Amino acid sequence: MSDLEQFLRGRIWLREHTPFPKEQVDAAIANGDITIKQGISTDKQCMRCLEQSPLKIIPFDCAKCEATCYYCRQCLQMRRISSCTELLVWRNPSSWQPALPSFDWQGKLTDKQKRASEEVAESIALRRPHLVYAVCGAGKTELLFPGIHEALQKGQRVCLAAPRTDVVLELSPRLRAAFPATVTHTLYGGSPEQEGLAQLVIATTHQLYRFEEAFDVVIVDEADAFPYTVDPALACAVEKARKPGAPIIYVSATPTKRLLKTIPNRSEIFSRYHGFPLPVPVYRPLWGYKKQLAAGKVPEKLKKWLQEKVNAGEPFLLFLPTIQLIDETVQLFKEVVPGIEAVHAEDPGRKEKVMQLREQKVPGLVCSTILERGITIANVQIAIVGADEALFDHAALIQISGRAGRSADFPDGEVVFFHNGISLEMDRARQLIRSYNKGGDRR
Ligand SMILES: [Zn+2]
Ligand SMILES: [Zn+2]
């Protein structure tokens, strides 16, 4: 198989940004291996992300073709697509026999994981959608391995998509270790170029814009997470990236009502892999905390909580509702706990800071909801300040609480909701956690 086919197969790619000599691309177009699609179709739909809202497909005076062109705002961050842009699609796939996968995973599934794992593999084999509804710390990734392995054995292409780069970076080494003989690509904004035709792709949902009818199986991890739920275009990207009729496996600890309603095939795991119950959040009022912080004072109750954790040598995460509040107060918190660091979405050093917390080089982090998912730190203690703020819906509160007690050595971390009044979402989160601990979902 040519390197050009390896690159383009299953993708939809900008002609002007294809890393191959022009003559090679031209020859493949001339002999019909590649067809060209107009970037924005004549009925004003983006051919990469399928956007067609007039709010996103915008006319402009194009210098290149000296006429009025349209460009797509929805997928702008992956280089601009306009009416006169050419997209390449590979049309003549040659026969392909990927290397037989070796499955190198020594861990053991619990009985519940094992049953879910078999159900997932069955849905993949029968090409039907499936939902894995499993609490934080249930061991969701591992139970996907056998189904992925079966698909790889059949020579199928598998994609594991997650909404955030952090989650992709966390999953990628685990999958590469489990399937060492399989050509695997890890794709996110700014990821390095990777060789060969990937049989296994681990990608942010955004990256799926660049694929078309590529995958025999698509697994969507954290299926309820921002930005997947608020951005229907991303759901559309998943649709476009799979082959017609290919199964989609949704994985979530806090599935939306819509997912629960629309996916009848479901595996549920409401206990953690280590068998200990989920930590139940404790409510503590922190009246007028905003005023106190604004006046340069850390409220006494919060100060006491922080000092307790430091004295016990326990790492902690302190969630605050806004980035602005984090920026304004980090200095105050440093006076109470020297060495404390702050982390939010725009912080390029956040990976290192989380690593430092894990290695106990910093005592704790003040953070935004960016750390609500995908991180595991042994013995971590959790506090949310302003748990009643609208930003903390029940799914966010459950995810944040799910950071505690993940390790079998420290299964019962503390989770404190500091609040200015108890919200319905706080109660909903706590009720759900309690019901999981009783073994079932009571929505
Ligand atoms: Zn687009
Ligand atoms: Zn143009």
Side-chain angles (χ1 to χ4, degrees):
M1 192 186 301
S2 71
D3 50 356
L4 183 60
E5 179 177 349
Q6 288 184 7
F7 182 85
L8 282 180
R9 187 161 162 157
R11 277 174 156 162
I12 178 158
W13 204 264
L14 278 178
R15 183 175 186 175
E16 57 207 276
H17 290 290
T18 309
F20 291 92
K22 188 178 170 302
E23 300 72 42
Q24 194 183 351
V25 175
D26 291 349
I29 293 168
N31 71 21
D33 284 339
I34 293 176
T35 55
I36 294 177
K37 280 192 181 183
Q38 211 181 331
I40 309 288
S41 68
T42 37
D43 52 358
K44 302 190 193 72
Q45 183 178 27
C46 173
M47 285 295 105
R48 181 165 64 183
C49 71
L50 304 185
E51 182 60 60
Q52 49 188 341
S53 157
L55 298 172
K56 298 274 177 73
I57 306 292
I58 313 289
F60 71 110
D61 289 328
C62 179
K64 207 168 99 196
C65 60
E66 298 180 335
T68 300
C69 259
Y70 288 81
Y71 78 95
C72 176
R73 255 171 53 184
Q74 176 61 31
C75 61
L76 189 59
Q77 69 195 85
M78 318 185 93
R79 292 184 196 275
R80 191 176 71 185
I81 297 259
S82 61
S83 315
C84 61
T85 306
E86 291 178 320
L87 294 168
L88 305 181
V89 179
W90 192 269
R91 282 299 173 213
N92 287 328
S94 39
S95 68
W96 177 45
Q97 234 151 31
L100 264 185
S102 56
F103 183 33
D104 189 4
W105 185 66
Q106 307 305 333
K108 205 171 168 295
L109 297 176
T110 64
D111 289 345
K112 283 177 187 159
Q113 278 177 307
K114 196 155 178 285
R115 200 184 60 223
S117 176
E118 286 162 2
E119 288 163 357
V120 167
E122 192 186 359
S123 281
I124 291 176
L126 295 173
R127 295 162 61 82
R128 64 185 185 197
H130 196 99
L131 169 65
V132 178
Y133 178 6
V135 296
C136 305
K140 293 188 278 281
T141 309
E142 290 73 16
L143 71 83
L144 299 170
F145 288 170
I148 294 174
H149 184 219
E150 272 181 35
L152 294 175
Q153 275 178 320
K154 291 181 194 156
Q156 297 184 332
R157 288 186 90 181
V158 179
C159 175
L160 177 58
R164 290 181 184 177
T165 303
D166 301 53
V167 179
V168 167
L169 290 172
E170 204 262 337
L171 292 172
S172 170
R174 292 158 70 189
L175 278 136
R176 284 171 185 267
F179 303 105
T182 299
V183 178
T184 302
H185 287 182
T186 306
L187 305 175
Y188 49 91
S191 58
E193 206 165 291
Q194 292 154 81
E195 301 263 298
L197 177 57
Q199 197 187 356
L200 179 60
V201 170
I202 306 146
T204 55
T205 20
H206 268 105
Q207 293 295 319
L208 298 187
Y209 286 150
R210 291 179 162 152
F211 289 88
E212 188 171 288
E213 300 190 4
F215 301 108
D216 304 279
V217 181
V218 180
I219 301 166
V220 183
D221 194 17
E222 308 276 2
D224 62 296
F226 176 85
Y228 190 71
T229 37
V230 295
D231 194 344
L234 288 174
C236 188
V238 172
E239 282 296 321
K240 179 173 137 281
R242 67 173 176 147
K243 288 183 183 166
I248 303 177
I249 311 298
Y250 300 91
V251 182
S252 175
T254 45
T256 56
K257 279 198 179 125
R258 201 171 147 259
L259 269 179
L260 288 166
K261 228 165 108 182
T262 52
I263 314 290
N265 303 299
R266 190 186 306 171
S267 305
E268 296 178 340
I269 307 183
F270 295 131
S271 56
R272 293 187 145 177
Y273 78 94
H274 56 45
F276 294 94
L278 296 154
V280 178
V282 176
Y283 295 169
R284 273 190 215 157
L286 202 63
W287 312 119
Y289 73 89
K290 277 187 193 162
K291 267 193 186 154
Q292 291 191 55
L293 288 171
K297 196 168 164 284
V298 176
E300 272 315 309
K301 268 191 229 167
L302 184 55
K303 201 188 245 178
K304 194 164 156 262
W305 187 85
L306 290 167
Q307 282 163 345
E308 270 171 26
K309 302 308 145 202
V310 175
N311 293 341
E314 293 166 342
F316 64 85
L317 292 173
L318 179 65
F319 287 83
L320 296 185
T322 64
I323 292 178
Q324 195 193 346
L325 194 62
I326 294 174
D327 286 340
E328 285 168 4
T329 56
V330 61
Q331 218 39 53
L332 286 181
F333 286 115
K334 278 186 195 227
E335 284 163 26
V336 179
V337 183
I340 197 171
E341 287 284 351
V343 170
H344 53 68
E346 277 112 72
D347 180 357
R350 66 171 191 261
K351 244 186 105 188
E352 286 70 39
K353 288 177 186 171
V354 170
M355 192 63 83
Q356 286 176 336
L357 182 63
R358 202 169 278 143
E359 292 167 354
Q360 300 194 311
K361 288 179 183 155
V362 298
L365 297 175
V366 183
C367 62
S368 68
T369 51
I370 188 72
L371 294 188
E372 78 175 38
R373 290 162 194 262
I375 66 159
T376 298
I377 291 160
N379 200 21
V380 74
Q381 312 294 308
I382 305 289
I384 305 177
V385 171
D388 52 318
E389 295 274 330
L391 151 97
F392 295 116
D393 62 10
H394 74 281
L397 294 169
I398 289 172
Q399 292 283 353
I400 292 171
S401 306
R403 298 308 103 207
R406 292 170 81 91
S407 123
D409 296 334
F410 305 97
D412 50 310
E414 189 181 16
V415 179
V416 181
F417 289 178
F418 287 107
H419 64 85
N420 244 333
I422 295 163
S423 70
L424 289 172
E425 293 293 302
M426 284 165 65
D427 269 345
R428 182 137 183 247
R430 195 162 73 169
Q431 264 168 25
L432 275 169
I433 290 171
R434 283 185 173 143
S435 75
Y436 296 151
N437 285 342
K438 285 187 192 136
D441 179 21
R442 302 280 173 274
R443 274 173 185 257

